[in-house]
């Protein structure tokens, strides 16, 4: 989830109910859980206060759940897993400070954290320098190629290609793209143009708006005049909810379909009346409405631990749970927490099946191939339309291959 300057004030207007387990995470200090006389230490480095806590708190909850489950299922090769938690308070400077502290002072063997791409890029070189394995688990623009970093969230290649193809087939070939004005939506817009071209479709517009923009009247008029077959949206945050509310007020719900790559990642669908989000379609790696035994068991455990009012788990939040379990699976495969051996286990195709489906690490790119669910909002709830299994994580034309060259350290962008 990339962001160069997230509007914390807008997002902070809405706060999720959190469990007592997070009640003490309010200051820039470290909290340790699951302590044992002999333990393996991992770190959570997330925004648990400040504007981005709307994403960070649900991520922290399921990371704690994963640690509990790992320990109750035998731990890691005979040792308990200890979670060291850092609250970065939506402050990039604290990401740098805590990444160094985790690696050098607390000597964790694994860091799971970062929400925005800017936070990832603050931590990534620090953790690489100190040889501390790093997992980045949120949806992002794709393209990171680094031996020490593993990305488990969805990328445009996984999320967009099939969904845009579905939209073209279902609605038509003229696409109007709108998004927040920062790195990730702009890159996703580039991917949309690329995928549209490959499908014989056309991106007729690509408009971006700062995160504090709330008035979308002029945009709605422009879209009405352009008469696209559908909209691709990467609007982000509380301020941008104004678009969907004004779209509904203009009587446009159901007239021009919306395919969104971001709506619901901050649980926006719980913040506005269902009538204002009716019919929005989104492709995600996880929604709570997935009807499988594994997901039902996960939700039962989640609510048992954190209560019925625990935050809705979405595509972004669930990544913290998945990444922790996938790393633990690789540690068990390797029989050790040694970084090089765990990397080798991951690169061999470490696989884990969770609430959203199967994750399998792609050794060449250090991204997960995984299942994607296409869903539509109806009455404020997601309804699954279809599922695409085992979606490839990255389209780099073979440019990223860490098996052949583990020294690669770049971020690839779309090629026309």
């Amino acid at each position: 989830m990339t962001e160069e300057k997230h509007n914390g004030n807008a997002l902070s207007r809405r706060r999720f109910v959190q469990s007592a387990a997070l009640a003490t995470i309010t200051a820039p200090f470290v909290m340790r859980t699951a302590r044992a006389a002999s333990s393996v230490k991992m770190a959570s480095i997330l925004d648990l206060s400040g504007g981005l806590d709307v994403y960070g708190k649900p991520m922290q909850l399921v990371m704690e759940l994963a640690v509990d489950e790992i320990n109750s299922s035998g731990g890691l090769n005979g040792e308990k897993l200890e979670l060291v938690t850092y609250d970065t308070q939506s402050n990039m400077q604290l990401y740098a400070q805590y990444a160094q502290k985790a690696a050098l002072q607390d000597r964790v063997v694994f860091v799971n954290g970062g929400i925005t791409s800017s936070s990832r890029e603050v931590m990534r070189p620090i953790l690489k320098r100190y040889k501390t394995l790093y997992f980045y688990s949120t949806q992002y623009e794709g393209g990171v190629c680094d031996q020490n970093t593993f990305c488990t969230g969805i990328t445009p290649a996984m999320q967009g290609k099939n969904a845009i193809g579905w939209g073209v087939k279902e609605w038509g070939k003229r696409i109007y793209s709108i998004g927040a004005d920062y790195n990730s939506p702009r890159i996703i817009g580039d991917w949309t143009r690329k995928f549209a071209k490959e499908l014989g479709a056309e991106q007729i517009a690509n408009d971006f708006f700062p995160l504090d923009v709330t008035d979308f009247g002029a945009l709605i008029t422009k879209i009405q005049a352009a008469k696209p077959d559908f909209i691709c949206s990467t609007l982000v945050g509380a301020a941008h909810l104004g678009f969907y509310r004004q779209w509904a007020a203009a009587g446009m719900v159901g007239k021009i379909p919306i395919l969104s790559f971001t709506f619901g990642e901050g649980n926006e669908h719980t913040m506005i009346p269902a009538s204002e989000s009716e019919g929005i379609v989104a492709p995600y790696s996880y929604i709570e409405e997935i009807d499988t035994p594994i997901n039902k068991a996960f939700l039962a455990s989640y609510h048992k631990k954190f209560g019925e009012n625990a935050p809705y788990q979405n595509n972004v939040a669930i990544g913290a749970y998945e990444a922790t379990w996938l790393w633990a699976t690789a540690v068990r495969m390797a029989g050790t927490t040694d970084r090089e051996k765990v990397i080798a286990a991951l690169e061999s195709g470490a696989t884990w099946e969770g609430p959203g489906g199967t994750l399998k690490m792609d050794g060449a790119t250090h991204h997960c191939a995984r299942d994607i669910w296409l869903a539509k909002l109806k009455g404020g709830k997601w309804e699954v339309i279809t599922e695409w299994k085992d979606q490839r994580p990255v389209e780099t034309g073979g440019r990223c291959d860490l098996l052949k060259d583990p020294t690669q350290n770049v971020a690839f962008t779309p090629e026309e």
Side-chain angles (χ1 to χ4, degrees):
M1 174 177 289
T2 63
E3 175 180 3
E4 303 309 320
K5 45 181 180 178
H6 211 292
N7 187 338
N9 291 329
L11 281 179
S12 63
R13 296 171 191 162
R14 177 66 182 240
R15 289 293 180 269
F16 289 112
V17 176
Q18 62 173 321
S19 73
L22 280 177
T24 59
I25 307 177
T26 57
F29 59 80
V30 177
M31 179 180 74
R32 289 177 173 81
T33 60
R35 288 182 177 175
S38 175
S39 63
V40 171
K41 289 195 289 188
M42 66 167 283
S44 161
I45 305 181
L46 290 169
D47 302 304
L48 301 175
S49 58
L52 290 170
D53 65 348
V54 69
Y55 304 105
K57 288 176 180 176
M59 293 174 73
Q60 176 70 20
L61 293 179
V62 288
M63 203 183 305
E64 290 179 7
L65 178 61
V67 170
D68 285 353
E69 291 176 347
I70 290 163
N71 285 333
S72 65
S73 63
L76 295 174
N77 308 319
E79 293 185 291
K80 289 288 186 180
L81 179 58
E82 177 185 343
L83 179 61
V84 183
T85 297
Y86 305 84
D87 177 14
T88 50
Q89 302 178 79
S90 305
N91 183 329
M92 289 302 112
Q93 291 181 337
L94 289 179
Y95 269 105
Q97 176 183 328
Y98 288 152
Q100 185 163 317
K101 187 175 188 297
L104 296 182
Q105 183 174 325
D106 289 308
R107 296 188 178 278
V108 305
V109 297
F110 162 58
V111 170
N112 183 352
I115 298 174
T116 65
S117 277
S118 53
S119 65
R120 181 197 67 238
E121 290 308 302
V122 168
M123 290 194 293
R124 189 165 67 87
I126 295 170
L127 296 172
K128 187 179 182 71
R129 183 184 314 131
Y130 298 121
K131 300 186 184 301
T132 303
L133 200 60
Y134 175 45
F135 272 58
Y136 179 65
S137 64
T138 71
Q139 174 188 347
Y140 86 112
E141 74 277 7
V144 168
C145 185
D146 172 9
Q147 189 199 31
N148 192 63
T149 300
F150 290 84
C151 301
T152 61
I154 58 176
T155 65
M158 306 164 71
Q159 187 186 30
K161 192 170 188 178
N162 282 333
I164 292 169
W166 181 90
V168 168
K169 183 178 179 180
E170 191 78 11
W171 298 320
K173 295 183 177 181
R174 301 178 73 250
I175 304 169
Y176 199 116
S177 291
I178 58 176
D181 190 12
Y182 63 87
N183 190 35
S184 178
R186 285 189 172 276
I187 293 176
I188 291 172
D190 292 342
W191 281 107
T192 299
R193 182 173 62 254
K194 172 181 169 62
F195 294 145
K197 184 176 180 181
E198 292 173 354
L199 292 161
E202 179 187 6
Q203 184 189 63
I204 64 172
N206 198 11
D207 292 340
F208 300 97
F209 303 89
L211 286 159
D212 58 355
V213 168
T214 58
D215 184 355
F216 292 91
L219 171 64
I220 291 170
T221 299
K222 188 177 176 183
I223 293 172
Q224 289 170 324
K227 297 180 179 179
D229 292 315
F230 66 100
I231 295 166
C232 278
S233 172
T234 54
L235 295 174
V236 171
H240 285 183
L241 279 177
F243 170 79
Y244 300 100
R245 308 208 71 171
Q246 292 158 40
W247 183 255
M252 293 302 295
V253 172
K255 293 187 176 179
I256 299 177
I258 296 175
L259 173 67
S260 178
F261 300 125
T262 52
F263 189 85
E265 291 187 336
N267 291 344
E268 292 90 347
H269 62 301
T270 69
M271 300 179 185
I272 61 176
S275 60
E276 296 179 351
S277 63
E278 190 75 9
I280 293 175
V281 175
Y284 289 140
S285 59
Y286 180 77
I287 50 176
E288 282 197 0
E289 290 83 353
I290 293 172
D291 187 14
T292 62
I294 292 177
N295 186 44
K296 289 178 180 178
F298 162 75
L299 289 172
S301 296
Y302 174 63
H303 288 293
K304 181 179 179 180
K305 182 173 177 64
F306 299 113
E308 289 305 312
N309 290 325
Y312 180 97
Q313 281 294 314
N314 58 47
N315 176 71
V316 169
I318 197 71
Y321 179 80
E322 296 170 334
T324 303
W325 257 114
L326 186 62
W327 168 78
T329 299
V331 169
R332 289 173 174 177
M333 289 171 62
T336 177
T337 58
D338 176 80
R339 173 179 168 271
E340 296 299 326
K341 291 180 180 178
V342 173
I343 288 175
L346 288 162
E347 289 181 340
S348 73
T351 301
W352 178 77
E353 187 174 4
T358 301
L359 285 74
K360 183 176 182 179
M361 184 58 64
D362 177 73
T365 63
H366 285 201
H367 287 64
C368 280
R370 56 181 308 149
D371 304 335
I372 301 295
W373 304 80
L374 186 70
K376 179 185 287 189
L377 279 169
K378 185 175 181 180
K381 302 289 185 181
W382 292 108
E383 288 191 353
V384 174
I385 299 171
T386 190
E387 177 189 10
W388 296 301
K389 288 188 174 293
D390 195 30
Q391 293 302 291
R392 295 288 300 171
V394 181
E395 285 205 359
T396 62
R399 289 174 290 165
C400 179
D401 192 337
L402 292 161
L403 297 177
K404 290 183 179 179
D405 182 6
T407 67
Q408 283 187 284
N409 186 16
V410 294
F412 292 109
T413 55
E415 285 186 318
E416 294 295 341

